[in-house]
Amino acid sequence: MTTDTLEARDKQPVEAEWTRPGPVFRPDVDVLERPDGYVIFADLPGADETSVDIKLEQGVLTLDAQLPTFPSESWTQVHAEYRSGSYHREFRLSKDIDAAAVSAKMRDGVLELHLPKSSAARKRSITVQAA
Amino acid sequence: MATTHLLRTRPTRAWPDVFDELRRDMDTLFHRYGEGPSARPRGVFPPVNLYETAEAYVLTAELPGVEAGDVHVSLQGSTLVLEGERKGAGSPTDASAHRIERPTGSFRRAFDLPAAVDGDQAEASTRNGVLMLRLPKAPEHQPRRIDVRGQE
């Protein structure tokens, strides 16, 4: 596992031991920065809002999703191109993020995370008034 | 467009024009996501699994971020075509991308099903970014129960 940082693109290895069964996948993400904050899109096909767990602790945002076993019925698999399992990825957040204002939503298996910048970090334009 | 044989029971047919079409599609797809800082080569999109039950084939495809209206499924004989478009997050001009890993663009895949299916009874649904297609087998491929009669 690696930790992604929103400040730089260097990846850092993170030791992780898995206590749950099944494969764990690192979801593909897009990370965008806007003047007022960051937006992370993560591909989590098969996951819904109840299966996603997001934690923010000591500047590290941890994304976990556990999928229900599929298929539940006893189907015979005749062709396989992908496997289902859990998702896990960590992001080291820059210090300018307002942790209390982080929000998330799921749509069509894509998680959209909004990480607003703290008001101190936003660029402000100050109007100069005539005296 | 290349056909993916879902069971290797038939010889692969040479379809040169079809391969050219696929190559163009793939070039488009890879070009679009080759722009990102951490782009890496990947297999075809979308990945699919095929399951078989006594009465039907069930095909699932991972299509995160693709709405039901943006994927089209067609069936001719035992050839299934899956096509559509995966739109990007729609990066507004005031956003700068730190990392782009999620592929966007149009996709088109064809599959040669192991046996004929009853297209009229086929059902398709999307849920949480996973497409599920239920393709009942054609009547001649359905399991049939034959009663054994004793001599009268």
Side-chain angles (χ1 to χ4, degrees), chain A residues 6 9 28-35 41 43 46-47 70 75-82 89 108-110, chain B residues 6 40 42 47-53 60 62 65 86 89 94-96 98-102 109 128-129:
Chain A
L6 292 178
R9 293 195 189 103
D28 286 340
V29 299
D30 288 350
V31 179
L32 306 177
E33 182 178 353
R34 291 178 184 152
F41 294 93
D43 281 348
F70 181 87
W75 296 347
T76 308
Q77 187 158 17
V78 290
H79 180 83
E81 292 181 353
Y82 70 89
R89 197 156 174 176
D108 294 326
V110 178
Chain B
L6 291 172
R40 48 208 144 111
R42 198 87 56 88
V48 305
N49 284 342
L50 185 75
Y51 303 90
E52 183 175 4
T53 70
T60 61
E62 284 194 328
R86 198 182 127 134
D94 66 343
S96 59
H98 285 239
R99 189 182 285 274
I100 300 289
E101 296 171 353
R102 302 164 61 239
R109 292 193 71 186
N128 300 327

Side-chain angles (χ1 to χ4, degrees), chain B residues 124-139:
Chain B
S125 61
T126 58
R127 192 178 170 185
N128 300 327
V130 178
L131 171 78
M132 191 186 289
L133 273 171
R134 194 175 177 279
L135 306 158
K137 292 176 186 174

Side-chain angles (χ1 to χ4, degrees), chain B residues 8 49 53 70 80 84 146:
Chain B
R8 295 179 202 287
N49 284 342
T53 70
D70 287 334
L80 176 80
I146 296 155

